Amino acid sequence: MRVLMVEDDEELALTVAAGLRRAHMAVDVAFDGTGGLERALCTDYDVIVLDRDLPGTHGDDVCAALIAAGCRSRILMLTAAATTDDLVDGLGLGADDYLPKPFDFRALVARVGALARRAHPAVPPVLRHGDLVVDTARRRAARGDRPLDLAPKEFGVLEVLLAAAGRAVSAEELLERVWDEAADPFTNAVKITVSRLRAKLGDPPVVETVARSGYRI
């Protein structure tokens, strides 16, 4: 899944981003509302973690602008204020969830994962194809009785392909969904990752190359 972290406290933003990456997520970071809004409108994020009290463009205004633009990303709003009125106001703006600071990091990861599974379109927590099973909540995969030791990008590619339910997924879409903004658009990282994934999945093959379209399961 791909996540945008919008937080003006740089230390907190980078710490949370590093933790989300350890949880197998691709994460971009913006340190103000204006930059966050620009990124959110240009990239199809699964989840946007949005601080409410942002300099420049306030988090409320960012949220309202995204909803008005028809943004399909799920929005988790963070705030130092934890009153019921703040919760109601945040959800009333169109946010999908609301988490007061300070927060337990495990709770943040769980909420981001839950929101991502509801993103465009909703993805079930466990994906299956034949004897291949992927638990997106626990980040585990197995084929038959054999657990699969997948690297984060391999797991991400497998998750996107399974969620596509037989639709061919282009290398460009995989690059956008699984890698972050630092990825080189001309890299062969997708091809290499798919090759490694196929080797770990074993026989019979389940990942098919579709000419001029990409890959599908």
Side-chain angles (χ1 to χ4, degrees), residues 41-127:
L41 292 175
C42 293
T43 303
D44 193 17
Y45 292 102
D46 295 295
V47 179
I48 298 171
V49 181
L50 176 65
D51 182 38
R52 189 174 186 186
D53 302 309
L54 290 170
T57 305
H58 194 274
D60 288 357
D61 297 326
V62 173
C63 185
L66 291 175
I67 299 302
C71 177
R72 299 187 300 168
S73 304
R74 300 296 181 178
I75 300 173
L76 171 59
M77 189 168 279
L78 303 177
T79 182
T83 67
T84 300
D85 287 343
D86 290 304
L87 168 62
V88 172
D89 289 345
L91 296 177
L93 290 166
D96 298 280
D97 201 356
Y98 190 93
L99 189 62
K101 298 177 182 177
F103 51 81
D104 182 274
F105 184 72
R106 292 172 301 171
L108 175 66
V109 172
R111 287 174 184 245
V112 169
L115 288 174
R117 289 191 295 274
R118 291 164 46 195
H120 47 262
V123 176
V126 178
L127 300 168

Side-chain angles (χ1 to χ4, degrees), residues 1 107 154 177 186:
M1 65 189 75
E154 295 163 356
R177 295 287 305 280
F186 300 104

Side-chain angles (χ1 to χ4, degrees), residues 131-133 141-148:
D131 62 350
L132 178 60
V133 180
R143 188 162 193 193
D145 297 328
R146 179 171 60 90
L148 299 173

